[in-house]
Each structure stands twice: as structure tokens, then as C-alpha cells.
Amino acid sequence: MSRIAARRRVTRITAGGVTQRRADFLSVEEPLEIRVHGTPLAVTMRTPGHDVELAAGFLVSEGVIHQSEHFARSIHCAADGEENTYNVLDIGLAPGVPLPDPSLERNFYTTSSCGLCGKASIDAVRTQSRFTVGDDPLEIDASMLITFPDKLREQQRVFDRTGGLHAAALFDGATGEMLVLREDVGRHNAVDKVVGWALQHGHIPARSCVLMVSGRASFELTQKALMAGIPMLAAVSAPSSLAADLAEESGMTLVGFLRGDSMVVYARPDRITNSDQNADADAASAASTAASPDTAALTDAPQPAPFTSAETGVPSEAAPQPNPASESRV
């Protein structure tokens, strides 16, 4: 069986310092040919391991299957006339499940960095999903969401050895529990492995769950989340414009730059609450009231009707003046 990390002798050079020869570990990258009933569908460059989940998630992402009963069997087989290297996986679909449309073939090859290479129509991708996420009742507090990147990083076992893998994890949005984490040289493969796990465990559609990824939020990852019925995608880096467009159109919450105690929300921010901020605001209001000795006397005298800001709903004694510092930043 192929390894997920390969040992290699390297030369470490420090400018103006010592040059050393030592052992290091590299992430293994090998091709996986996915076949359906013996017919080649795609080849992807991946980190070996969890290949069945990868294939299952790939078929969910392509709209071929959407429930575990559709996936009947899988077997690693040898390429024609060659020894079995566990780099060819043949999938059997359940009776009655239509075979993949030949138009899904992606020039028969996808790289570890691109999961949509050769895709003929983006419009077709946007209309494939059987699940809607716009009506998902997921609500999560920001204080819980900011813990996800550290939980993800703590479980990246292979990354600790190689420093060369992407990670994706599925979290329960109600409890904050990590349901599954997968690593791969391809960010889209890591997500497919997570989606494949969810399919096998009856979590498709993944209602009220959060997909957390270790890199950027591309269109392909947003599309994969949508195909799996995941209502929130969070990333430690930036999303693309097309990812934000798709999230907004579908009603998915899209979070980028989730680092430390902050984040940037690009679509559906209403699913993220901020209880700490509300508590601070209440405390500040109470302190302000307690510090005003003339409050009772003022309430006894007739007062002019307060002006209420249309933006904040906060009464003030005079019409508000422009305050650049208070303007929101997007």
C-alpha cells in the first residue's frame, strides 16, 4: 500500500550559516484513477488513503449520487496488464442509479490544485445540487467558530511531519464537535474525502454543519459544500469572488480569514451570533446609567422627543453628526 509520507535526504542551507544533510519527510502524491463499472471517469492527483471516501465524495460533488444507498461497492484493481498499485479504484453503483453523464469527464485528468479542470459549464455546476442550504436553521456563536482553526490544526498529523498537506473538517454547528478531518495534497480531495465520509455515515445533506478548510475558499470548494448540503464554509484564508457569488446566490454562509478572534463574513452573516459583544454593550450601557447622578431629575422634567437614528435605533438629544470612525467597513 502506498505511503502518505515519504522519507528523503535533503540539504538544509542557512545563509551565512551551516549547511546540513539530514532526513526529511515529503507528502506523497500519486494518481488515483476513478472508474465507474469499469469505465474510467477521472484521474486525480491525491495523497493515498481514504480512497473510497474520496471517490464517494467526488461522485457527490458531480451530482452522480446523493445518498449512501447509491454507493454499492468499490475495489482497488490493477491497471491493464500491470501490478496492483492501489491507484485504480472501480466503483459500483446500486441498481437503478444512472451512470455518470459522459460530459462529466474532465479531460480525464485533474491536478492536486484544481478540482474543476476541464469543466465545461459553470452554470451547469450551479444547478446540480439536490439540496438547499438557504433554509438551514444553523446558528453559531462567533466565540465557538473561532475555535475551529485550532481544532483543525491540532489534528493535522501528517502535516506535522511534512508541512505539505491541506486539511478539511466537518463540525457540528450546535455542539462544536469535530465529526471528521481529512488531509490531502489537493484541497478539493480533502473536501471530497470529508464529503465521502459524510455520505457513508448518513450525514448527507450535512444540515447545521460547518465545513472548515485550512486554505482559501475557492469556487470549487463552495460548490462541493453546496452539493453536500453544507450551510456554512469557513476558511483561514480568503475566498474568491466567484465563491462569494455562489454562496450569496445559494444562501450559504461564507467565512474567510478565520484567524485568532476575528473573521470576515462574505455571505449570510445572520447565522453567526456575537454574544460577547452584546454582553459588553449591555455592561457599558449599565455603567453609563449608573454614572449619571441627574438621571432621575431629568426624567421628572418635560423633555423634547429624542431623535432616533434610522441606522442604529439609539436615541440621542440632537440630530447625529457624521462620524467617519463609526462607519462600517466591508
Side-chain angles (χ1 to χ4, degrees), residues 170-223:
L170 193 65
F171 287 87
D172 185 314
T175 66
E177 176 190 2
M178 180 187 289
L179 303 176
V180 62
L181 178 142
R182 293 290 181 260
E183 295 179 277
D184 200 278
V185 288
R187 59 174 61 89
H188 60 95
N189 288 336
V191 171
D192 277 342
K193 288 177 178 180
V194 166
V195 171
W197 177 93
L199 181 83
Q200 293 178 336
H201 290 79
H203 290 299
I204 299 292
R207 301 279 289 177
S208 297
C209 287
V210 179
L211 177 63
M212 179 77 215
V213 297
S214 62
R216 61 186 177 88
S218 63
F219 170 82
E220 59 179 327
L221 301 192
T222 309
Q223 177 255 337

Side-chain angles (χ1 to χ4, degrees), residues 121-167:
S121 172
I122 289 177
D123 291 336
V125 171
R126 290 182 171 180
T127 57
Q128 280 182 355
S129 182
R130 294 176 177 269
F131 309 117
T132 59
V133 298
D135 62 349
D136 194 294
L138 171 65
E139 186 174 280
I140 185 170
D141 196 81
S143 61
M144 177 185 290
L145 191 57
I146 62 173
T147 67
F148 289 179
D150 286 342
K151 291 179 179 179
L152 182 81
R153 180 64 186 86
E154 288 169 3
Q155 297 300 316
Q156 288 185 256
R157 306 302 186 197
V158 185
F159 182 88
D160 287 338
R161 299 179 69 191
T162 67
L165 291 180
H166 296 281

Side-chain angles (χ1 to χ4, degrees), residues 32-35 41 44 50-61 65 71 74 89-91 189 192-193 196 199:
L32 177 69
E33 179 181 325
I34 300 173
R35 299 178 179 178
L41 178 63
T44 184
H50 305 289
D51 287 345
V52 176
E53 292 176 351
L54 170 57
F58 176 82
L59 293 177
V60 171
S61 296
I65 61 177
F71 195 101
S74 64
L89 186 67
D90 190 29
I91 305 301
N189 288 336
D192 277 342
K193 288 177 178 180
L199 181 83

